[in-house]
Amino acid sequence: MSKLVVAVAGATGAVGREMLKTLEDRNFPADEVIALASSRSAGTTVPFKGGELTVREMTEDSFKGVNLALFSAGGSTSKKFAPYAVKSGCVVVDNSSAWRMDPKCPLVVPEVNPDDVDWHNGIIANPNCSTIQMVVALKPLHDAFTIKRVVVSTYQAVSGTGQKAITELETQVRQMFNGIDPEVKVYPHQIAFNCLPQIDVFSEGDYTFEEIKMIKETAKIMGDESIKVTATTVRVPVFYGHSESVNLEFEKPVTAKAARAILAQAPGVQVYDNPAEKMYPMPIMAAGEDEVFVGRIRQDDTVESGLNMWIVADNIRKGAALNAVQIAELLMKKGKLKV
């Protein structure tokens, strides 16, 4: 009998571990799950379904007999190994930025553009974490009122950078409480008790790559180049959970009440919005959760048809691992996995 074999590439990293946990949490029907990583991690173990998986070194031959590979091992690794996986007959869902803007690769958020998986050629790209949570909230509003312009400012957790950044924030806080000058290694400046208005390196027009990703990815996922997006991305001293302040301008008249009602019915969205009771989304409530939380929905009276809102999600969960597994579930549902 044929069986469904799933590989997680980069299984020892924060997102790779969360991918394994998400496969388990959602009872993904894999007959076998393989953990892959670099030679440094080969032979170590990662938890899965009450037991452990022994990590194998990822090589060009690792994907023989594998039906689906979830990659979270960095762009250069994906560029090197994803083509070998495809050649082996495997479908790749890649979490790096390597394939996102490749016109031959769909960039998919299942709540937004599920049908784009239909035209994949072996590789499907998982969008940037900050883009994912934003478009999940934007899509139902765009369908109803047609978005003209998006102004987004992000407040992004250090886990988006990886385990070294999580450790650096924790270490700096401890150092400062003990009167020691904080060591700065991961970020260009101290992150403890600070905000850094730079995520990734600066590029054209002094926008960072993170900001450019949000601008370009939004248009591709939404399938509408006419939506104007401008972004400012900021790293904040939070461990898990990205927050976003989003200002929207629409073609059609919109009210906060109507937007709230539409978002309350939207897939993957949880409206948490009652200012009178001090109810609004925060990173600490989104950590470990699947939903994209939306609150502070209110009219922007400076334009003819505008709204402000606050969007929060777990960047490791929905912003990476969950979205990838949801793509895998979509492939299964559509019969797009060769088993």
Side-chain angles (χ1 to χ4, degrees), residues 121-185:
N121 291 303
I123 300 172
I124 299 171
N126 214 33
N128 188 40
C129 48
S130 50
T131 307
I132 288 173
Q133 69 184 69
M134 184 173 76
V135 297
V136 168
L138 261 51
K139 180 61 163 64
L141 297 176
H142 183 57
D143 288 346
F145 308 111
T146 312
I147 296 170
K148 287 168 59 176
R149 184 168 184 255
V150 181
V151 181
V152 55
S153 298
T154 71
Y155 306 75
Q156 295 180 224
V158 295
S159 53
T161 309
Q163 186 57 50
K164 287 181 181 177
I166 295 171
T167 303
E168 176 149 304
L169 173 56
E170 184 178 352
T171 301
Q172 287 181 357
V173 170
R174 291 180 189 278
Q175 287 170 331
M176 292 180 74
F177 273 121
N178 285 286
I180 302 168
D181 288 339
E183 292 178 52
V184 175
K185 295 178 182 176

Side-chain angles (χ1 to χ4, degrees), residues 16-252:
R17 288 172 181 270
E18 191 67 24
M19 283 175 169
L20 290 167
K21 183 176 183 297
T22 307
L23 288 168
E24 179 180 341
D25 290 346
R26 294 175 74 87
N27 293 313
F28 189 79
D31 296 294
E32 182 182 357
V33 174
I34 298 168
L36 300 173
S38 66
S39 57
R40 294 191 309 275
S41 299
T44 61
T45 60
V46 287
F48 185 66
K49 287 193 172 179
E52 292 181 326
L53 298 175
T54 300
V55 177
R56 306 179 192 178
E57 180 183 357
M58 182 160 49
T59 68
E60 295 166 8
D61 297 321
S62 293
F63 303 96
K64 289 179 179 176
V66 175
N67 310 100
L68 171 71
L70 305 180
F71 269 69
S72 187
S76 58
T77 302
S78 292
K79 280 285 190 185
K80 179 180 178 180
F81 287 103
Y84 288 109
V86 174
K87 194 178 281 188
S88 298
C90 179
V91 177
V92 172
V93 179
D94 181 56
N95 193 56
S96 78
S97 60
W99 308 97
R100 288 175 187 158
M101 299 315 297
D102 187 324
K104 296 177 184 174
C105 293
L107 182 65
V108 175
V109 177
E111 295 92 340
V112 178
N113 59 332
D115 291 340
D116 279 3
V117 300
D118 294 343
W119 55 269
H120 80 80
N121 291 303
I123 300 172
I124 299 171
N126 214 33
N128 188 40
C129 48
S130 50
T131 307
I132 288 173
Q133 69 184 69
M134 184 173 76
V135 297
V136 168
L138 261 51
K139 180 61 163 64
L141 297 176
H142 183 57
D143 288 346
F145 308 111
T146 312
I147 296 170
K148 287 168 59 176
R149 184 168 184 255
V150 181
V151 181
V152 55
S153 298
T154 71
Y155 306 75
Q156 295 180 224
V158 295
S159 53
T161 309
Q163 186 57 50
K164 287 181 181 177
I166 295 171
T167 303
E168 176 149 304
L169 173 56
E170 184 178 352
T171 301
Q172 287 181 357
V173 170
R174 291 180 189 278
Q175 287 170 331
M176 292 180 74
F177 273 121
N178 285 286
I180 302 168
D181 288 339
E183 292 178 52
V184 175
K185 295 178 182 176
V186 176
Y187 295 119
H189 302 282
Q190 170 190 322
I191 184 61
F193 308 104
N194 198 15
C195 296
L196 308 182
Q198 176 194 351
I199 298 180
D200 213 324
V201 297
F202 288 100
S203 184
E204 325 156 17
D206 289 337
Y207 280 79
T208 65
F209 274 126
E210 184 80 1
E211 290 156 355
I212 292 167
K213 285 177 197 172
M214 290 195 77
I215 292 163
K216 292 183 175 180
E217 290 178 21
T218 299
K220 183 173 179 178
I221 298 163
M222 301 280 279
D224 191 340
E225 295 286 339
S226 72
I227 302 173
K228 304 298 182 188
V229 180
T230 188
T232 302
T233 57
V234 181
R235 189 71 70 189
V236 297
V238 168
F239 287 111
Y240 296 97
H242 288 353
S243 303
E244 298 172 347
S245 170
V246 181
N247 175 265
L248 302 169
E249 186 178 355
F250 297 90
E251 295 276 1
K252 301 172 188 174

